[in-house]
Amino acid sequence: MALRRILIANRGEIALRIVRAARSLGVETVLAASGADRESMAAREADRTVVLGPAPARDSYLNPRLIVHAAKATGCDGLHPGYGFLSERSSLAALCAEEGIVFVGPSADSILAVGDKLSARRLAKAAGVPMTPGSEKLDTGAQAVAFAESVGFPVVTKASAGGGGRGMVVARDAKALVEGFERASTEAKEAFGDGTLYVERYVERARHVEVQVLGLGDGRVLHFGERDCSLQRRYQKMVEEAPAAAVPEATRARLHEAAVSLLSSIRYRNAGTVEFLYDVDRDDFYFMEVNARIQVEHPVSEMITGVDLIQLQLEVAGGELPRIEQRDINPRGHSIEARIIAENPERGFAPSPGRIQLWRPPQGEGVRLDTAMEEGALVPPFYDSMIAKLIVHAADRLSAIARLRAALDAFTVEGVATNIALLRRIAAHPEFIANRLDTRWLESVFLPQYREPKEA
């Protein structure tokens, strides 16, 4: 049965994106907002807004029982968690199931199966998906060193319960691994409530490539091509592209097959992303993790395939089979997304909350802006400082870069500091244009060059 009314337990551009996708399907929306977001653009466009609590996320967006209560109290039959916050918490999906509310995402069992990285690695191994040599759970630095010596340095520690760079330490020798292990475990504990670590062999020249999928819940899984998310700072993505132009066609097909095989094995339902590390030197790839939700960078997949992934999420959650099959999904052209962030790169990327005094976004053919910002809007200090996603699409990668550069040149924001000038420099860099990138390029090559003139 199709969904009738959904609660949106999120904020900012993704909340607005869900409101508009739901409206296009005739689904009513209730926005669950914090006190800081009660007058946001998403709140104005939703059919109704309920205030969960004060601004801190722990009192609003991170309170599962409060969120489910809000859904029941407003007569919602579905709940969309967006991304971040509680979107990958199996406890929220389970609570929805207990209360008879459709969770717009995977089942609680699926989230548990892929949400823990060690569990996900075991699933990937059973499905025959390639993986870098990695350990099971490790309790001490000494255990980590013993494993590292068996596979060879360098290695990287990873948190079993989460990602985003938390709990990650690259070690090139035993001393560095012992020194970093406890620090990484503490960081993981603080970030995810679980300090469990494991260790993998570190790939020196790697690209971050991920496959967008949609599971139908009966073992069938559709894929929408892959994305290259190699431009990262402190393991946080800054620029994303689709397709991954540096990956050979034969390897690309194997990537898609691996992602579909892994999630078919658990009868995955709804949107997800299977992330891989692509070894440039070996032309091979290794499984990293599954993100059991819609991703920030999903628009580039939408642009090359012509589908609305949020609409598909809502249809699948409501028990409707999508109107497309795999043979209907034929990626065309090239798309690039640049994250516009309210931060000051000249001051160590410090967040820059405040009120937007001037907002002049770019427009034109092949230009899309996902945002909930406008002149006079307040960028609060309580949450992630991304304020927009600038997405472009063109016939090929070089044309898309030209369109991105023009759009960034036309983008004017005043009142808060942003990373727009930094993005302009990235888009104009010869190595970016030539696609000679890896996951370390931004921090090891570009940023040192970017800072030098400022210090002169």
Side-chain angles (χ1 to χ4, degrees):
M1 184 178 68
L3 295 172
R4 180 180 57 84
R5 178 184 300 154
I6 62 168
L7 186 90
I8 301 168
N10 216 296
R11 62 177 305 278
E13 62 84 18
I14 190 59
L16 183 61
R17 172 87 177 79
I18 298 166
V19 166
R20 291 174 176 174
R23 182 192 302 144
S24 70
L25 296 174
V27 178
E28 296 178 14
T29 55
V30 178
L31 181 72
S34 73
D37 293 323
R38 65 191 308 166
E39 297 181 6
S40 65
M41 191 183 295
R44 294 204 308 271
E45 291 202 20
D47 294 300
R48 180 178 174 185
T49 297
V50 293
V51 177
L52 292 171
R58 65 178 181 275
D59 298 326
S60 50
Y61 300 113
L62 292 178
N63 188 326
R65 293 200 172 276
L66 181 62
I67 288 169
V68 173
H69 172 76
K72 290 190 67 177
T74 53
C76 293
D77 53 358
L79 187 154
H80 198 310
Y83 54 67
F85 293 133
L86 297 177
S87 60
E88 291 183 279
R89 297 283 184 89
S90 61
S91 57
L92 178 60
L95 192 57
C96 285
E98 289 174 15
E99 299 294 343
I101 294 169
V102 175
F103 183 74
V104 184
S107 67
D109 287 344
S110 289
I111 295 174
L112 277 173
V114 301
D116 179 273
K117 291 184 180 180
L118 287 171
S119 170
R121 281 180 61 87
R122 289 189 283 270
L123 283 173
K125 184 177 181 180
V129 177
M131 294 185 295
T132 53
S135 71
E136 288 293 319
K137 172 185 176 182
L138 298 172
D139 297 316
T140 67
Q143 291 178 348
V145 169
F147 173 80
E149 289 176 342
S150 72
V151 298
F153 284 95
V155 296
V156 58
T157 65
K158 290 190 174 182
S160 177
R166 301 297 183 91
M168 293 184 72
V169 171
V170 176
R172 301 185 182 280
D173 55 45
K175 181 181 178 183
L177 183 54
V178 170
E179 291 175 350
F181 189 88
E182 186 173 346
R183 181 173 74 252
S185 180
T186 299
E187 184 178 47
K189 176 72 173 177
E190 291 174 349
F192 313 118
D194 183 350
T196 301
L197 297 182
Y198 64 101
V199 170
E200 286 182 349
R201 179 191 290 163
Y202 183 67
V203 179
E204 289 284 4
R205 280 215 315 145
R207 299 183 80 125
H208 181 133
V209 180
E210 58 189 34
V211 180
Q212 174 68 58
V213 299
L214 182 81
L216 305 186
D218 58 3
R220 289 178 294 165
V221 175
L222 302 174
H223 76 78
F224 299 82
E226 79 294 336
R227 303 183 286 254
D228 190 326
C229 307
S230 300
L231 273 176
Q232 302 176 8
R233 175 182 169 272
R234 294 185 177 177
Y235 304 104
Q236 298 293 321
K237 302 165 188 173
M238 188 177 291
V239 177
E240 301 101 344
E241 307 186 35
V247 177
E249 198 60 40
T251 308
R252 186 192 316 274
R254 290 174 52 225
L255 272 167
H256 299 163
E257 182 181 358
V260 169
S261 174
L262 172 59
L263 294 188
S264 294
S265 70
I266 60 170
R267 303 173 72 85
Y268 189 87
R269 186 193 69 218
N270 220 276
T273 300
V274 186
E275 301 197 347
F276 298 93
L277 205 61
Y278 175 63
D279 190 326
V280 177
D281 297 321
R282 293 184 173 89
D283 181 28
D284 208 352
F285 61 87
Y286 312 105
F287 171 76
M288 286 201 299
E289 63 179 322
V290 176
N291 285 296
R293 54 173 168 80
I294 198 71
Q295 291 271 84
V296 174
E297 59 272 20
H298 76 272
V300 291
S301 297
E302 294 183 326
M303 297 296 273
I304 64 169
T305 59
V307 302
D308 187 316
L309 290 167
I310 305 296
Q311 286 185 4
L312 290 178
Q313 277 196 291
L314 294 169
E315 289 173 349
V316 170
E320 301 177 72
L321 289 178
R323 297 178 295 277
I324 58 173
E325 298 180 14
Q326 190 63 60
R327 64 173 178 266
D328 303 318
I329 303 169
N330 300 298
R332 294 182 176 88
H334 196 90
S335 182
I336 307 175
E337 174 181 297
R339 301 189 186 193
I340 310 300
I341 305 173
E343 64 184 11
N344 192 336
E346 312 301 331
R347 296 186 177 180
F349 294 87
S352 178
R355 194 167 297 280
I356 293 178
Q357 298 170 0
L358 180 66
W359 181 259
R360 295 289 184 271
Q363 298 178 342
E365 181 183 0
V367 176
R368 165 180 166 179
L369 190 72
D370 283 18
T371 186
M373 288 291 112
E374 58 190 342
E375 274 187 23
L378 185 66
V379 180
F382 312 107
Y383 314 110
D384 183 271
S385 50
M386 186 180 74
I387 57 174
K389 301 183 308 197
L390 174 61
I391 308 108
V392 298
H393 181 256
D396 52 54
R397 186 172 185 272
L398 289 179
S399 300
I401 290 173
R403 187 159 281 170
L404 175 66
R405 293 177 65 180
L408 287 167
D409 286 344
F411 207 154
T412 302
V413 179
E414 294 180 5
V416 297
T418 74
N419 67 333
I420 292 175
L422 177 72
L423 291 168
R424 289 174 184 150
R425 293 276 294 275
I426 291 172
H429 198 286
E431 292 191 359
F432 175 77
I433 295 171
N435 208 12
R436 293 194 297 267
L437 308 171
D438 58 42
T439 55
R440 299 175 60 226
W441 179 83
L442 192 67
E443 289 185 300
S444 65
V445 176
F446 176 80
L447 286 177
Q449 294 174 352
Y450 180 75
R451 293 191 186 106
E452 282 172 10
K454 305 299 177 182
E455 296 169 358

